[in-house]
Amino acid sequence: MSQADLSVEMRPGLVGKRVKRTEDPRLLSGNGQYVDDIKLPNTAHVAILRSDQPHALIRDIRVDHAMDVPGLIAIFEAADLEGEVRPAIPSSRIKGYYATPYWPLARGKVRYVGEPVLAVVAESRYAAEDALALIEVDYEPLPFAIRQVDAVADDAPLIHEEAGTNIIIAREFGRGEVDAVFETAPVRVGAQFRMTRKTATSMENRCYLADYDRRRMAVTLWTSSNIPGIVKDALADSLSLPGARLRVIAPDVGGSFGGKGSLYHEEMLVCALARKLERPVKFTGDRLEELTASSQAFDELIDAELAVDEEGRFLALRAEVIGDIGAYSIYPWTAGLEPVQVVSFLPGPYRIEHYRGRVRGVLTPKPPTGPYRGVGRPSSTFAMERLVDMAARKLGMDAAEIRRRNLIDGEEFPYRTGSGIIWDKSAFMECLEAACAHLDYPALLERQKKAREQGRWIGIGLSCYAELTGIGSRIAVAPGMPINTGTETGTITIDSTGSVIGAFGIASHGQGLETTLAQIIADELGCALEDIEIRQGDSSLVPMSTGTYASRSAVIAGGVAIKTARVVKTKVLRAASILMDVPVEDLDASGGIIRARSSNAAMTFKELANAVYMQMGRIPHDKREDLTGSESYDPYLGTACSSCHVAVVEVDPETYGVRVTDYVVAEDCGRIINPMIVDGQVHGAVAQGIGAALLEEIHYDDEGQLVTASLADYLLPLATDVPDIGIVHIEADLPNNVGGFRGMGEGGTIGAPAAIANAISDALSPLGIEIQTLPATPDRLFRLVEQSRATHLQKGQ
Amino acid sequence: MKPVAFDYVRAQSVAEAVAALTSSGGEGKVIAGGQSLMPMMNFRMVRPSVLVDINRIPGLDRIEERGERLHVGALVRHRMTASDPVIGRHLPVLHAVMENVAHLTVRNRGTFCGSVCHADPAAEMPMMTLLLNGGVHVASPRGERVVAARDFLLSSLTTALEEDEMVTGIALDTLPPGTGWGFEEFARRHGDYALAAVVATMEGRDGCARNVRVAVMGVGDTATRLPGVEAALEGQRVDEDVIAGAVERLRAEIEPNSDLNGSADYRRHLAGVLAARVFRAAWTRAQEGGAA
Ligand SMILES: Cc1cc2nc3c(=O)[nH]c(=O)nc-3n(C[C@H](O)[C@H](O)[C@H](O)COP(=O)(O)OP(=O)(O)OC[C@H]3O[C@@H](n4cnc5c(N)ncnc54)[C@H](O)[C@@H]3O)c2cc1C
């Protein structure tokens, strides 16, 4: 037992500190291990022959020439896997929904350009691509409707005949007397808003490696996924394998932004092929495949209207939404994930008594839409925040003032929105005020006035929103989805050397969760941060896991980390009490040292572990217990994370180039675990939102071909497009969950498109232009300005 | 996205490179910086049987003053064109232009001559070669010939280069000290291929613009000089009226295409906007230069 230096103060907590990310030394020194870095002997490589047709029957496949390519192992079509792989069915409780089955390879028919048709397996990817180039597929083209407005028509060609319709999902939310209120409302504003299709584009492409263990007849899949737990459960079913013989590991993952958050054809494929060929099989996607065959995002047409009284109070809101969901309902989230959330979140953080939102999700021959940072809310916030500004403009009211009058505040919490979402108390109003204060809003308005007098087009845009995060088992994170994503299991073990190992079901892919969870455990358990290793991204760690998505991990895994650490701490102090001969009540631990409050007695975790596990007789045999705990946590409900963004833009009045010059985010994410990580999440997400607002657009031409098939055409934001971002953290009332945390990984992408659209509209307001489509490209602005000038000219005559 | 199998020859001399191209029977390709060629090979849009690597050929990596002209060797990288003091002295406009070409990593490898051989309609180097009356030095088994830039650049991604020929360098005009210049380009993001770019040079003598040169890119199948616009400025005091006239002329002369990043109408509008800025800047500099 050592004597602790009493002059050393009890260490203050790590939660709330800018602790450097423990992941970074390995990642920044090139020692990360991504799936493609894993090389197993005798690995076979797959290239996928993908459909070049948007909608067609597969008539004939000729592979003869390909078979002679040196290094070719085999070519598989769907029929070769029949009976070995069952489809994944993205089921939902929503009435009238049709779940499109999800197979590894197209069966008889292709439904989008990029859909996997054949798997070409060879000794190298080069050889596989050489063989692939020699395969001929005869297609019989089928008619199709590529745009959602056409695909909803009764006589539109069907993508899935079995469904009997292209509209495989529809929902309506609402309350009150919407139409009646609109009848008599003094002010009405409305428009058709369009958030064009995007895709997530992380730096690491999708990559999968499956290994087959002949001895155990077991499959291990390494996957660049942020939902390894869900993938495991899906594959266990699809491959008819008991969980004990299937392990899914997500090692270091180079970003996802939602794009790696669904089950993919290729994941099913490499597992099935590894089992069939009894050797490791790897698929490493390239950028072309990433853009043509990963999940896509948004693509809603939102017809929305807001009714307001003369004082700017919101009376009623109604919307009709058509979501272009692509050719399949994504597994496991379903086709409801993106479009249904648009109508459930449209009312935003505002007090709106009367609401109706209707949505239809329609099949088109494109890759499915799936999760994308912010899900649904970037679109809904764009539409709602545009309506708010349009109403303010009509009333001649300041943009901040109209928000002030309508944000839910104070005693109104908890507030139930017209769509049934419950906002627990969060700093809606405080965020607005803080963001305005940070930028000195009145001075900003003055600056804008001066600039306008000089002929410069400067605009200021606000956007307020709230999202539901850390959602427990009460609600599905994807509307109607039957999988429980609200529970998290954690295990914390102190081993015989004093190492603290925390194992969780989450799957960090850039969020720094190894750091934040370690901070939490260090505080709760009292051990040293350096002694903690967080294990995650591996289905074998906990009985059931899902992964990291939907702003859940800090809240739910953080919560279970606290609960479990408390259990282990009790055991630590019980053992210390015996070893130190000090009553438990007199003991506490911090920074890896257990101390007595009323004496100088102290011992380290290392000494304690050694005594508990190794030294016979130090603890009476009937009192000795392992220093380990395993708990689960379910916050049941979700918690609101709110924020206000303010963007200042300058539009070149001649070229219509847009530059974001100033940016501020004020956000309430509850108790902040690590401000540096929160800042990083905000910076990254705002950058992504700038991309959505100004640059990124997945475009399919009338032939159903993707024309933005490289990063020269699908434009991501560069460092030069992102201004310095001011961030104000507001820790107001903490939410009612174990840690007091709110999820904040997605927020920036939700607020930024709306704030920038509002800022551009503000800049162009002298011309009466309201932005309705994002991205606001120079070409789109040019056309809007030309139209506006033509109209003014006509009016003038 | 893997290239088809190819052979590789590392040429030690121009003669060896040309010989390798010749023996490939038209299937060979020169590789310089690889910044355009490699992506096309990975997409399998280009399938050379042999890559003739010219990077180790001595003597091609220089910018030399040869009389009134500057000779830019086949291995002069964008980075060098952007920062070389010889260029700074004779062609400050080229420095300004090069700042808009791609990003540092690409500029460290990509070559001026490679860009001209690639002949992308939205690339800066072909436009500058046209502006500066470039002479493309071409080597083949038949010896060396010099092809004028306007005869070399045929259309989008198409040049007058024969299969067994390689470019050894490009000779560019130097501009007299004090020549005014202006350059503007507009791209969706910094370093991207431009939606439109305009460059102009002019000398200011006796209060008038002389030796006016104007070139554009991104607004047609190839970069191009605009003689009509040059004529509209030549000998004029470049005031706002003259500029407006020249801009109108320019908008009439170009035939931009529509693509994802911009419609033909927008590009035509944009080229005019940039042109006006360029003419103003060039005129201002010309007057300052003339006074000096
Ligand atoms: C991300 C990115 C951004 C870019 N942005 C821009 C931009 O903004 N503006 C711009 O102008 N360019 C841009 N480029 C292209 C870049 O400038 C290329 O470097 C250039 O176009 C080609 O030069 P290279 O030396 O790399 O040629 P390579 O790629 O090696 O060759 C290109 C073609 O020219 C032929 N070739 C090359 N040298 C010779 C020779 N001496 N004789 C005969 N044939 C030859 C090759 O056979 C090939 O067909 C960009 C490229 C990238 C990757």
Side-chain angles (χ1 to χ4, degrees):
Chain A
M1 202 179 295
S2 64
Q3 293 295 309
D5 179 357
L6 266 187
S7 64
V8 176
E9 286 213 6
M10 289 286 264
R11 224 158 94 163
L14 290 177
V15 168
K17 292 264 152 53
R18 294 181 171 265
V19 173
K20 281 193 183 166
R21 301 192 343 152
T22 54
E23 295 89 338
D24 285 346
R26 74 166 188 271
L27 296 178
L28 298 180
S29 61
N31 287 304
Q33 191 181 48
Y34 301 88
V35 177
D36 199 44
D37 294 325
I38 301 169
K39 317 265 187 226
L40 300 180
N42 202 31
T43 297
H45 296 265
V46 193
I48 310 263
L49 186 139
R50 297 177 184 278
S51 169
D52 57 11
Q53 298 286 316
H55 193 206
L57 297 174
I58 302 169
R59 279 300 177 217
D60 191 23
I61 297 171
R62 286 186 301 280
V63 299
D64 331 355
H65 298 299
M67 300 312 279
D68 302 332
V69 169
L72 182 84
I73 297 166
I75 298 171
F76 296 93
E77 58 179 299
D80 300 321
L81 300 173
E82 213 74 16
E84 292 176 41
V85 185
R86 293 195 297 170
I89 310 288
S91 52
S92 168
R93 299 195 178 105
I94 291 178
K95 275 206 281 306
Y97 159 78
Y98 175 77
T100 57
Y102 203 69
W103 296 87
L105 294 169
R107 298 162 85 238
K109 171 170 158 169
V110 291
R111 296 179 173 89
Y112 64 90
V113 172
E115 181 167 7
V117 176
L118 298 175
V120 182
V121 188
E123 299 296 343
S124 75
R125 172 82 182 219
Y126 286 88
E129 289 196 21
D130 288 345
L132 189 150
L134 299 172
I135 298 173
E136 289 168 68
V137 180
D138 284 347
Y139 294 104
E140 180 185 326
L142 296 170
F144 59 88
I146 193 77
R147 313 262 166 248
Q148 69 242 66
V149 281
D150 303 320
V152 291
D154 286 339
D155 58 351
L158 296 181
I159 301 292
H160 290 267
E161 290 78 6
E162 308 79 8
T165 171
N166 284 331
I167 304 168
I168 60 163
I169 193 157
R171 281 239 47 194
E172 176 170 342
F173 295 100
R175 73 170 172 214
E177 305 297 324
V178 181
D179 295 331
V181 175
F182 265 95
E183 287 284 315
T184 58
V187 177
R188 292 160 53 161
V189 287
Q192 184 176 74
F193 299 101
R194 179 155 172 254
M195 182 71 126
T196 54
R197 210 171 184 84
K198 323 268 183 224
T199 188
T201 47
S202 39
M203 215 180 294
E204 178 205 24
N205 291 340
R206 292 192 291 112
C207 188
Y208 311 116
L209 168 64
D211 190 21
Y212 182 70
D213 177 349
R214 224 180 294 185
R215 182 176 62 88
R216 291 171 52 232
M217 294 186 296
V219 173
T220 303
L221 172 69
W222 287 267
T223 169
S224 58
S225 172
N226 57 287
I227 52 161
I230 288 176
V231 169
K232 178 203 156 193
D233 289 346
L235 289 177
D237 197 45
S238 176
L239 303 169
S240 307
L241 268 179
R245 290 199 274 123
L246 176 63
R247 182 174 171 195
V248 177
I249 302 169
D252 286 326
V253 174
S256 162
F257 312 103
K260 294 173 186 161
S262 304
L263 177 71
Y264 278 97
H265 302 288
E266 298 89 347
E267 284 173 306
M268 303 167 91
L269 198 58
V270 291
C271 291
L273 295 181
R275 182 166 67 175
K276 211 173 166 73
L277 298 168
E278 301 197 345
R279 61 188 284 191
V281 175
K282 186 185 260 187
F283 165 78
T284 305
D286 58 33
R287 191 54 70 182
L288 181 62
E289 297 180 294
E290 201 68 13
L291 289 166
T292 50
S294 288
S295 67
Q296 300 181 342
F298 309 138
D299 210 349
E300 287 98 6
L301 275 180
I302 306 174
D303 274 297
E305 255 189 305
L306 178 67
V308 181
D309 73 13
E310 282 97 347
E311 268 70 59
R313 283 186 291 258
F314 302 164
L315 303 174
L317 173 69
R318 62 186 174 196
E320 298 280 342
V321 176
I322 311 177
D324 178 337
I325 58 172
Y328 289 91
S329 179
I330 197 126
Y331 188 93
W333 315 108
T334 81
L337 175 73
E338 171 62 37
V340 174
Q341 302 216 59
V342 172
V343 283
S344 56
F345 285 95
L346 191 66
Y350 301 111
R351 189 187 309 113
I352 304 176
E353 195 43 48
H354 306 273
Y355 173 60
R356 185 182 62 236
R358 286 199 198 113
V359 60
R360 288 174 291 168
V362 64
L363 295 164
T364 62
K366 300 182 188 127
T369 56
Y372 176 108
R373 200 178 199 173
V375 188
R377 290 151 301 198
S379 293
S380 70
T381 304
F382 164 52
M384 183 64 200
E385 290 299 298
R386 286 282 32 252
L387 289 173
V388 172
D389 269 24
M390 288 164 70
R393 196 155 298 139
K394 214 161 175 177
L395 288 163
M397 190 176 281
D398 175 73
E401 181 55 28
I402 196 169
R403 288 177 169 80
R404 215 169 271 134
R405 292 186 186 186
N406 291 284
L407 283 171
I408 299 151
D409 195 23
E411 294 311 303
E412 292 171 288
F413 291 109
Y415 182 88
R416 192 186 171 88
T417 71
S419 58
I421 306 252
I422 292 171
W423 297 134
D424 60 328
K425 190 164 185 197
S426 169
F428 292 6
M429 192 69 82
E430 295 84 342
C431 286
L432 171 66
E433 301 299 0
C436 289
H438 191 273
L439 269 175
D440 193 354
Y441 187 64
L444 191 59
L445 292 173
E446 202 49 43
R447 193 176 107 200
Q448 178 186 34
K449 213 175 119 210
K450 289 227 178 71
R452 274 199 180 146
E453 283 161 10
Q454 298 162 7
R456 288 167 63 193
W457 292 3
I458 291 197
I460 304 166
L462 276 69
S463 105
C464 296
Y465 67 86
E467 55 176 325
L468 201 60
T469 68
I471 301 173
S473 63
R474 169 79 181 73
I475 323 158
V477 297
M481 185 189 68
I483 299 176
N484 174 24
T485 55
T487 310
E488 187 70 34
T489 305
T491 300
I492 297 176
T493 302
I494 303 177
D495 78 358
S496 56
T497 69
S499 278
V500 180
I501 295 148
F504 298 90
I506 54 157
S508 185
H509 45 284
Q511 293 88 346
L513 285 159
E514 291 175 33
T515 307
T516 44
L517 290 177
Q519 286 176 260
I520 291 170
I521 292 172
D523 277 9
E524 289 296 334
L525 184 56
C527 62
L529 186 78
E530 305 73 51
D531 290 339
I532 302 173
E533 179 171 293
I534 300 296
R535 295 185 182 159
Q536 46 93 35
D538 181 343
S539 69
S540 70
L541 294 171
V542 288
M544 188 273 185
S545 63
T546 56
T548 287
Y549 49 87
S551 296
R552 72 186 290 276
S553 295
V555 180
I556 313 185
V560 79
I562 292 173
K563 281 181 71 178
T564 316
R566 284 177 185 160
V567 168
V568 178
K569 186 174 185 181
T570 309
K571 294 184 181 175
V572 165
L573 297 186
R574 261 203 302 262
S577 164
I578 297 168
L579 291 165
M580 295 163 74
D581 198 18
V582 172
V584 168
E585 308 76 55
D586 195 34
L587 289 172
D588 203 0
S590 76
I593 301 168
I594 304 141
R595 297 165 212 259
R597 290 197 185 83
S598 53
S599 74
N600 289 355
M603 77 188 298
T604 65
F605 271 60
K606 193 179 166 96
E607 289 163 342
L608 178 100
N610 187 275
V612 168
Y613 291 113
M614 320 277 271
Q615 299 174 19
M616 283 180 291
R618 294 278 316 267
I619 294 183
H621 75 277
D622 53 349
K623 296 254 169 54
R624 197 199 145 286
E625 52 188 346
D626 283 349
L627 303 173
T628 175
S630 189
E631 293 291 310
S632 73
Y633 176 53
D634 175 0
Y636 195 55
L637 295 170
T639 180
C641 184
S642 62
S643 161
C644 176
H645 290 213
V646 185
V648 184
V649 303
E650 177 152 11
V651 182
D652 185 317
E654 295 184 315
T655 64
Y656 308 112
V658 178
R659 206 161 53 86
V660 182
T661 57
D662 304 75
Y663 208 99
V664 167
V665 177
E667 56 83 37
D668 168 20
C669 67
R671 191 149 73 105
I672 299 175
I673 303 168
N674 185 329
M676 189 162 66
I677 285 179
V678 173
D679 287 355
Q681 290 289 315
V682 172
H683 290 155
V686 167
Q688 203 172 341
I690 289 173
L694 299 176
L695 295 163
E696 297 179 43
E697 179 170 0
I698 285 277
H699 186 78
Y700 283 86
D701 67 12
D702 292 340
E703 275 71 55
Q705 297 290 335
L706 176 68
V707 280
T708 44
S710 86
L711 293 186
D713 294 311
Y714 186 76
L715 303 183
L716 297 168
L718 305 178
T720 43
D721 299 308
V722 183
D724 286 345
I725 299 165
I727 302 176
V728 190
H729 299 294
I730 293 173
E731 243 185 52
D733 295 39
L734 294 184
N736 183 24
N737 57 40
V738 169
F741 310 133
R742 305 179 195 268
M744 56 68 52
E746 298 177 86
T749 44
I750 300 175
I756 292 168
N758 278 343
I760 297 172
S761 304
D762 184 43
L764 301 181
S765 59
L767 290 164
I769 289 170
E770 303 285 1
I771 298 298
Q772 297 178 16
T773 301
L774 291 181
T777 62
D779 189 51
R780 285 201 171 105
L781 296 184
F782 165 72
R783 275 180 277 152
L784 288 170
V785 171
E786 295 280 297
Q787 272 164 25
S788 156
R789 290 200 170 130
T791 326
H792 280 116
L793 218 59
Q794 265 174 2
K795 276 188 192 151
Q797 278 165 358
Chain B
M1 241 192 240
K2 302 282 184 211
V4 295
F6 55 86
D7 286 332
Y8 172 82
V9 172
R10 178 185 286 167
Q12 303 295 342
S13 66
V14 170
E16 201 186 315
V18 167
L21 285 175
T22 309
S23 63
S24 76
E27 302 289 310
K29 274 264 168 207
V30 168
I31 181 164
Q35 298 303 294
S36 296
L37 183 57
M38 288 316 299
M40 290 195 301
M41 285 174 62
N42 287 344
F43 274 114
R44 298 194 172 211
M45 280 155 46
V46 176
R47 302 162 177 233
S49 63
V50 54
L51 273 192
V52 181
D53 184 350
I54 61 170
N55 282 277
R56 296 294 172 93
I57 301 179
L60 295 183
D61 58 348
R62 293 179 205 151
I63 298 173
E64 289 164 340
E65 301 184 56
R66 292 192 187 165
E68 297 285 277
R69 307 263 274 176
L70 284 185
H71 187 85
V72 179
L75 291 174
V76 170
R77 316 283 167 181
H78 299 334
R79 177 112 177 81
M80 190 168 167
T81 328
S83 59
D84 189 80
V86 176
I87 300 266
R89 198 155 56 237
H90 295 294
L91 296 170
V93 59
L94 191 52
H95 274 185
V97 169
M98 294 307 296
E99 272 171 28
N100 293 274
V101 177
H103 326 100
L104 214 63
T105 42
V106 175
R107 288 191 226 164
N108 282 342
R109 297 202 68 90
T111 63
F112 190 94
C113 294
S115 170
V116 173
C117 292
H118 184 55
D120 190 296
E124 286 83 354
M125 285 59 77
M127 176 180 73
M128 293 311 290
T129 305
L130 284 164
L131 185 88
L132 300 169
N133 296 325
V136 184
H137 290 243
V138 175
S140 77
R142 298 170 294 287
E144 190 171 299
R145 63 176 180 137
V146 181
V147 188
R150 62 178 178 281
D151 300 326
F152 187 81
L153 296 160
L154 298 180
S155 70
S156 177
L157 307 183
T158 313
T159 67
L161 207 61
E162 302 286 342
E163 285 165 347
D164 59 356
E165 288 181 322
M166 82 165 259
V167 171
T168 54
I170 295 177
L172 303 173
D173 280 352
T174 54
L175 295 173
T179 300
W181 58 272
F183 168 75
E184 289 278 338
E185 87 165 48
F186 185 82
R188 295 284 303 278
R189 304 172 303 181
H190 183 83
D192 279 355
Y193 280 114
L195 296 188
V198 182
V199 62
T201 59
M202 56 182 75
E203 291 160 40
R205 270 184 265 135
D206 316 325
C208 294
R210 304 284 177 196
N211 284 335
V212 179
R213 304 182 191 201
V214 179
V216 292
M217 68 180 212
V219 288
D221 281 342
T222 162
T224 165
R225 283 280 286 273
L226 296 172
V229 180
E230 291 171 356
L233 294 164
E234 186 70 38
Q236 302 287 327
R237 276 188 60 81
V238 185
D239 57 19
E240 285 303 311
D241 284 344
V242 170
I243 290 175
V247 164
E248 200 176 316
R249 195 69 205 248
L250 178 140
R251 284 189 171 132
E253 274 190 36
I254 57 176
E255 284 177 38
N257 298 315
S258 289
D259 68 16
L260 274 181
N261 288 316
S263 58
D265 287 347
Y266 171 64
R267 282 197 151 94
R268 179 172 280 114
H269 162 85
L270 182 64
V273 164
L274 300 177
R277 293 177 184 179
V278 164
F279 300 155
R280 262 177 230 129
W283 174 241
T284 308
R285 285 197 179 99
Q287 283 172 303
E288 287 163 4

